[in-house]
């Protein structure tokens, strides 16, 4: 496209109220993120009703701040993009209704963006995605391994058949008495620990699917039994052993995909991609197999609207616009998304 495309993007799928203004799918002109972590930490996890209420309270201020940072006006914006799935229904609806209002008032096209696709396209911010590429999405709701054949064509290789990797990190952290969000606390503890606990290996097969529920259940039972016996739980060591077991399985499946497909590019995405140990282990595998490894800056790994603006750009080019009947979907996983967009 000869003309620059500027998109105002909105993300409110969970507990961050975020807006961004993105040019041509990669150039971040403005970004605002209002986090609710401190509030939800009091409850040990995200409370949906509180999250949606806080989005309602915050979204106008986030819009004002985003436009203030932008060196332009609303007239310079070509489209409004918003996350519609997956996520917490109440939270998603706040963002969607805001997007609809802006689209109507300013007569801008409305673009519906899948949250998971946003995580993937965050890799375009600092390193343009080269096709074909393998992509791994690891977050609180997803563990998905895909082939991105082109900007608008993808193939799902495998997903978690039970708990996502991020969900298990949080649940193990809770069992160990760590505060929310659990993932970063597990990572910090693991750095101080030793791999002294013998844990079961997750799904040992040659598929591209993942399963972490067995590992989670084993740790829950282990901690319960040790407490019943009056034995001390070496939290740092257990965190270390858990992280190694979980990441080893992810690395094994990614290695399998690299060898079977012969694809020479790999992108990592999602909130758990902020985990330093996971990044290091996947980077090693890519180097060993002469595969180029990319992962977004930490800022763009967790939920943010910049990634939504990036994912909206290909949809804008294809003129895939939504109408005002757009509604929130809590559970549209990547498989459903791909099937819908074939």
């Amino acid at each position: 496209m000869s003309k620059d495309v500027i998109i105002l993007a909105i993300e409110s799928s969970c507990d961050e109220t975020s807006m961004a203004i993105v040019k041509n799918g990669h150039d971040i002109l403005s970004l605002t993120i209002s986090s609710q972590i401190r509030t939800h930490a009091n409850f040990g996890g995200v409370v949906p009703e509180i999250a949606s209420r806080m989005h309602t309270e915050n979204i106008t201020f986030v819009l004002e701040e985003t436009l203030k940072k932008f060196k332009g006006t609303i007239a310079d914006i070509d489209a409004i993009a918003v996350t519609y799935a997956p996520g917490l229904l109440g939270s998603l609806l706040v963002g969607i209704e805001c997007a609809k209002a802006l689209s109507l008032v300013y007569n801008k096209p409305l673009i519906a963006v899948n949250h998971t696709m946003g995580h993937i396209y965050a890799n375009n911010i600092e390193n343009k995605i080269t096709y074909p590429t393998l992509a791994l999405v690891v977050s609180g709701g997803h563990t998905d391994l895909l082939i991105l054949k082109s900007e608008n064509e993808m193939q799902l290789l495998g997903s978690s058949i039970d708990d996502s990797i991020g969900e298990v990190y949080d649940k193990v952290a809770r069992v160990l008495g760590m505060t929310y969000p659990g993932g970063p606390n597990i990572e910090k503890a693991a750095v101080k620990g030793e791999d002294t606990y013998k844990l079961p290996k997750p799904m040992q097969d040659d598929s591209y699917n993942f399963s972490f529920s067995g590992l989670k259940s084993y740790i829950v039972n282990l901690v319960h039994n040790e407490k019943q016996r009056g034995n001390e739980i070496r939290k740092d060591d257990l965190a270390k052993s858990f992280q190694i077991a979980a990441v080893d399985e992810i690395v094994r499946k990614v290695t399998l995909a690299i060898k079977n497909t012969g694809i020479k590019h790999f992108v990592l995405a999602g909130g758990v991609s902020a985990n330093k140990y996971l990044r290091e282990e996947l980077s090693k595998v890519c180097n060993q197999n002469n595969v180029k490894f990319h992962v977004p800056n930490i800022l763009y790994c967790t939920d943010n609207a910049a990634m939504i603006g990036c994912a909206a750009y290909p949809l804008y080019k294809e003129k895939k616009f939504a109408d005002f009947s757009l509604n929130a979907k809590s559970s549209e996983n990547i498989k459903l998304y791909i099937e819908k967009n074939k």
Side-chain angles (χ1 to χ4, degrees), residues 215-233:
L215 178 61
K216 175 199 69 178
S217 297
Y218 185 91
I219 292 174
V220 170
N221 291 330
L222 172 66
V223 171
H224 174 75
N225 292 336
E226 290 298 282
K227 286 182 177 179
Q228 291 291 97
R229 298 186 184 106
N231 297 331
E232 178 188 0
I233 299 294

Side-chain angles (χ1 to χ4, degrees), residues 65-120:
E65 183 66 20
T66 304
L67 290 172
K68 189 186 298 182
K69 296 174 184 175
F70 176 49
K71 294 179 180 178
T73 68
I74 197 82
D76 300 312
I77 290 168
D78 296 290
I80 310 296
V82 64
T83 304
Y84 73 95
L88 302 175
L89 277 177
S91 294
L92 287 166
L93 284 168
V94 176
I96 289 171
E97 293 308 311
C98 178
K100 286 180 182 179
L102 292 171
S103 174
L104 177 64
V105 170
Y106 295 103
N107 193 29
K108 306 291 183 181
L110 181 64
I111 303 173
V113 177
N114 179 281
H115 181 82
T116 308
M117 295 307 300
H119 278 303
I120 293 172

Side-chain angles (χ1 to χ4, degrees), residues 176-187:
L176 293 179
M178 298 176 182
T179 58
Y180 174 84
N185 290 321
I186 287 285
E187 184 180 6

Side-chain angles (χ1 to χ4, degrees), residues 136 143-145 158-163 203 207-212 249-251 253-254:
L136 176 70
T143 314
D144 299 311
L145 185 59
S159 299
S160 177
I161 62 173
D162 41 57
D163 297 344
M203 198 170 180
S207 77
Y208 298 117
N209 292 322
F210 302 88
S211 173
F212 299 104
E249 178 63 0
I250 291 174
V251 170
K253 294 294 175 89
V254 169

Side-chain angles (χ1 to χ4, degrees), residues 250-280:
I250 291 174
V251 170
R252 191 177 72 82
K253 294 294 175 89
V254 169
T255 304
L256 189 66
I258 288 172
K259 291 181 176 178
N260 287 346
T261 65
I263 293 174
K264 293 301 180 182
H265 295 272
F266 176 81
V267 296
L268 180 61
V272 183
S273 67
N275 183 288
K276 186 178 179 181
Y277 178 71
L278 176 63
R279 286 175 174 234
E280 290 174 347

